[in-house]
């Protein structure tokens, strides 16, 4: 049940849900359009879409890239008809990135789709699925077509993961992995700031966020680009004491965090 009001911050549609169809997605966009026109809905953020076509998944299997590519094409058509901005969540294929670039959509990619290939981790159940090494490297080549790097954080315990829970924890590994990539020359620090700070604030209309400027909220992350560490699940603050990147050595880590002017992490320790 959807209720309308200022507390509604955004909507996410899962195209891969069992029984979900293109017709139902079309109905969803009609629902948004009608309520927006009747002024029952204040839509100031894009509609987020998990773009994996459920009908094609049943026909070809989730690992077939066509499920993602055709889903993006279809939702792009709906976005054009409705006039609503649409953001494609966690794309996993270079073809998906290219398809988004040809449209008016925005999109994001996760670190696990950039750093892990199918078979790299025993419990690799994640949606969209991990792809081949070739596809993963091609995603890096298409990084200029992608707006945001997002964690798609799934805070399952290892026990839950072993029982089939989908997704990876990503909040505490995302920035170290990307800072390490900056040190290795895979992207610039300026591009990283754009993808992890500026563009998310712009796309999702987050007022006074994403930049260090007068009048903006004092949300700051201080990093040490020379410090080297191993990524270890036991060191995480969350309940998920594991990571598919266990033991990876990275150079570049966040050391201090300020939220709204208040220090919440000091020299790597939450305060």
């Amino acid at each position: 049940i959807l209720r309308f009001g200022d507390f509604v911050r955004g909507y996410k549609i899962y195209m891969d849900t069992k029984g979900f169809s293109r017709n139902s997605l079309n109905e969803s966009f009609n629902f948004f359009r009608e309520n927006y026109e009747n002024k029952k809905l204040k839509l100031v953020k894009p509609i987020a879409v998990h773009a994996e076509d459920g009908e094609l998944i049943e026909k070809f299997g989730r690992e077939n890239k066509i499920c993602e590519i055709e889903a993006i094409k279809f939702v792009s058509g709906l976005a054009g008809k409705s006039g609503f901005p649409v953001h494609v969540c966690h794309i996993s294929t270079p073809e998906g990135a290219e398809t988004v670039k040809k449209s008016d959509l925005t999109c994001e990619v996760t670190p696990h789709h950039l750093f892990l290939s199918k078979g790299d981790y025993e419990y690799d159940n994640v949606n969209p699925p991990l792809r081949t090494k070739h596809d993963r490297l091609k995603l890096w080549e298409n990084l200029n077509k992608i707006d945001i790097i997002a964690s798609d954080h799934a805070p399952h315990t290892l026990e839950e993961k072993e029982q089939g829970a989908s997704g990876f924890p990503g909040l505490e590994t995302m920035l170290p992995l990307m800072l390490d990539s900056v040190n290795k020359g895979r992207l610039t620090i300026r591009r990283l700031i754009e993808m992890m700070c500026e563009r998310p604030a712009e796309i999702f209309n987050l007022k006074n966020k994403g930049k260090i400027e007068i009048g903006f909220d004092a949300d700051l992350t201080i990093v040490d680009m020379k410090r080297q560490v191993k990524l270890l699940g036991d060191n995480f603050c969350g309940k998920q004491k594991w990571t598919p990147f266990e033991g990876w050595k990275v150079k570049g880590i966040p050391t201090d965090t300020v939220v709204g002017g208040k220090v919440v992490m000091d020299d790597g320790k939450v305060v």
Side-chain angles (χ1 to χ4, degrees), residues 200-226:
E202 292 170 1
I203 290 170
F204 290 94
N205 196 29
L206 304 177
K207 299 297 184 184
N208 303 321
K209 302 289 185 181
K211 295 182 180 180
I212 303 176
E213 290 184 5
I214 294 175
F216 279 61
D217 296 342
D219 299 332
L220 310 169
T221 300
I222 300 171
V223 302
D224 185 340
M225 294 299 294
K226 296 182 179 180

Side-chain angles (χ1 to χ4, degrees), residues 28 52 57 61 83 112 118 180 221-222 225-226 231 261:
S28 297
E52 287 186 284
I57 288 174
H112 54 262
K118 185 68 177 176
D180 184 68
T221 300
I222 300 171
M225 294 299 294
K226 296 182 179 180
L231 299 178

Side-chain angles (χ1 to χ4, degrees), residues 8 16 76 79 107 115 123 145-146 153 155 233 236 251:
V8 178
D16 65 328
S76 175
C107 69
F115 292 99
Y123 306 107
K145 299 181 176 72
I146 299 171
H153 179 66
F236 291 170
K251 182 179 180 181

Side-chain angles (χ1 to χ4, degrees), residues 93-207:
T93 66
E95 294 89 347
E98 292 170 356
T99 303
V100 170
K101 189 65 175 180
K102 295 175 183 177
S103 70
D104 291 327
L105 311 180
T106 58
C107 69
E108 67 190 41
V109 68
T110 71
H112 54 262
H113 285 117
L114 288 174
F115 292 99
L116 298 175
S117 306
K118 185 68 177 176
D120 283 349
Y121 186 69
E122 182 178 2
Y123 306 107
D124 64 358
N125 178 28
V126 62
N127 301 321
L130 298 179
R131 306 294 182 177
T132 66
K133 181 179 179 180
H134 173 79
D135 285 329
R136 179 176 65 79
L137 295 178
K138 281 291 185 180
L139 261 184
W140 277 102
E141 292 179 16
N142 283 273
L143 203 62
N144 63 322
K145 299 181 176 72
I146 299 171
D147 298 276
I148 293 174
I149 295 171
S151 70
D152 193 26
H153 179 66
H156 304 296
T157 64
L158 183 57
E159 291 73 22
E160 291 170 333
K161 186 62 180 174
E162 291 171 346
Q163 293 170 11
S166 181
F168 293 136
L171 284 180
E172 296 181 68
T173 55
M174 178 168 66
L175 187 52
L177 287 168
M178 297 313 302
L179 291 175
D180 184 68
S181 295
V182 170
N183 274 318
K184 290 177 178 175
R186 301 185 94 169
L187 75 166
T188 65
I189 190 68
R190 185 70 195 84
R191 177 64 173 143
L192 184 62
I193 292 169
E194 182 180 282
M195 297 184 77
M196 292 185 65
C197 303
E198 295 176 355
R199 286 297 282 153
E202 292 170 1
I203 290 170
F204 290 94
N205 196 29
L206 304 177
K207 299 297 184 184

Side-chain angles (χ1 to χ4, degrees), residues 1-4 7-8 11 31:
I1 298 174
L2 287 176
R3 297 175 60 189
F4 302 116
F7 68 91
V8 178
Y11 300 91
F31 172 83

